[in-house]
Amino acid sequence: ADDYITKPFAIEELLARIRVAISRQRRLSGDDTTLRRGDLILDRSAHNVSYKEEPIELTAREFSLLEYLLQNKNQVVSRDKMLNEVWGFDYMGETNVVDVYISYLRNKIDQRFGIPLIETVRGVGYVIRQEHR
């Protein structure tokens, strides 16, 4: 067993935990170990990120957020969805934490390499598109 939920529980919590378990299993089984967007490569099995073969050092949370955005490429993801999926259903910290970590990723990737990777969709959330418009 990887996890358990005590009764009573909300269906959203159950679904979030199932998604996390499926994601964990995929990583362990080696399915889809590499995510790409242009010259940016995220290697799940080695837990590293590079752009044009130049390594990018990320914290575990930054890595998880970038991984989640790349998994949902071309889909606008809300802050609430990112909080649930990356920080966990029971996260009780600051609500602007997603914006803070997006800023960290932009500093380490967008600004450093001069690429517009993460796009803000006002009032909705964030997206990584396959090709920048």
Side-chain angles (χ1 to χ4, degrees), residues 18-110:
I18 289 171
R19 282 191 295 273
V20 168
I22 290 170
S23 175
R24 184 182 311 123
Q25 183 59 38
R26 282 186 184 147
R27 273 182 270 160
L28 293 174
S29 68
D31 295 345
D32 302 326
T33 60
T34 303
L35 296 172
R36 296 175 183 263
R37 196 281 192 161
D39 292 321
L40 181 81
I41 299 171
L42 182 142
D43 185 340
R44 292 174 171 163
S45 60
H47 205 274
N48 63 36
V49 178
S50 63
Y51 181 76
K52 292 187 177 179
E53 298 183 14
E54 186 173 335
I56 302 170
E57 294 206 21
L58 300 178
T59 65
R61 188 73 68 191
E62 291 166 348
F63 184 90
S64 295
L65 180 58
L66 180 60
E67 178 183 28
Y68 183 71
L69 287 168
L70 286 169
Q71 285 173 324
N72 293 283
K73 198 177 340 181
N74 297 319
Q75 296 176 23
V76 178
V77 183
S78 70
R79 288 169 181 82
D80 288 339
K81 184 83 168 156
M82 284 184 264
L83 272 174
N84 285 340
E85 297 296 324
V86 177
W87 278 263
F89 184 77
D90 54 353
Y91 176 75
M92 299 300 286
E94 296 293 321
T95 57
N96 72 333
V97 71
V98 172
D99 301 319
V100 170
Y101 275 83
I102 291 291
S103 175
Y104 293 159
L105 287 174
R106 284 179 169 156
N107 286 334
K108 291 182 177 185
I109 300 169
D110 293 25

Side-chain angles (χ1 to χ4, degrees), residues 101-124:
Y101 275 83
I102 291 291
S103 175
Y104 293 159
L105 287 174
R106 284 179 169 156
N107 286 334
K108 291 182 177 185
I109 300 169
D110 293 25
Q111 291 178 7
R112 179 176 168 195
F113 297 104
I115 58 169
L117 180 69
I118 302 169
E119 182 182 324
T120 302
V121 178
R122 286 191 184 268
V124 182

